[in-house]
Amino acid sequence: MAVSARQVTKIYGKGNTRVKALRSVDVDIQRGRLTAIMGPSGSGKSTLMHCLAALEPVTSGHIWIGRSQLNRLNERQLTRLRRDKIGFIFQAYNLIPTLTAAENITLPMDIARRQSDPQWLKQVVETIGLADRLRHRPSQLSGGQQQRVAVARALTSRPDIIFGDEPTGNLDSNTGKRILEFLRHSVDALGQTILLVTHDPLAASYADRVLFMADGSIVDEAIYPTADTIAQCMLHLSTGGHYPTAPPERTTGWDS
Ligand code: ADP
């Protein structure tokens, strides 16, 4: 497993403002797979992802990234874990405005004083269609191009796992498709592990497995789903658990 959670609960606030964002969540994210988390707004998707990515402490329960149990690590060890093992692709691209695209892409590796593999870097940059934009600063790039820089930055170090929060949310459908295809390719060809949060059934259909959340719990999952199956599952959730017609067909269990 790349990441595991056991009995994870997350509570925000106190008294009147208390919100139970995660309720005893158990989940295993497999290595070398693309997993998506879906669910209505407020169901706890981002909270779960932030907890699994060691960005947010849990209220109770345990999370492991690889062999590291997060609540046994101190702040310094957590920082090192995030830096060395995890790639992030967020909707706010978090690029450094004073650095060029190329410098932004290699920044995590530079900070970690690691050499990037030039061949892989070239492949990432070419696939993502950024070869002629490497000397531009973020302000000279479109939103789609900035997001492509963020994706390249996450992939360059070949982290143990990449977490993406709506990574194609701000992009036009062609650019979004290209990025999803590249993420898919990095899983199939290189065994990259990716966990995405998305509200888009088409984006989720690139996943090997889709987890559905409602009210702080994982309530359903689909293996190798199509966009239609996913849309039906989402409808099922939004109608309070009643399928409008027959339940969608889906494969249960892994084929390997
Ligand atoms: P989703 O990503 O599915 O939209 P979130 O994980 O963002 O859901 O939120 C789950 C619940 O936790 C919501 O009720 C939300 O209002 C609440 N929540 C999220 N972040 C915070 C926070 N920092 N402080 C207080 N409540 C929060």
Side-chain angles (χ1 to χ4, degrees), residues 112-144:
R113 298 209 180 88
R114 282 168 60 197
Q115 281 290 330
S116 41
D117 170 354
Q119 201 116 32
W120 173 236
L121 186 58
K122 188 162 172 270
Q123 195 188 334
V124 169
V125 164
E126 277 174 7
T127 311
I128 239 153
L130 281 171
D132 58 346
R133 290 287 185 281
L134 288 178
R135 290 168 179 215
H136 291 59
R137 293 185 203 289
S139 62
Q140 300 167 313
L141 299 171
S142 70

Side-chain angles (χ1 to χ4, degrees), residues 12-13 17 19-21 39-48 56 197:
Y12 290 110
T17 61
V19 176
K20 206 165 188 180
S41 179
S43 57
K45 304 180 295 293
S46 300
T47 302
L48 178 60
E56 184 80 72
V197 165

Side-chain angles (χ1 to χ4, degrees), residues 8 14 143 210 239:
V8 166
K14 286 198 174 105
V210 181
T239 53

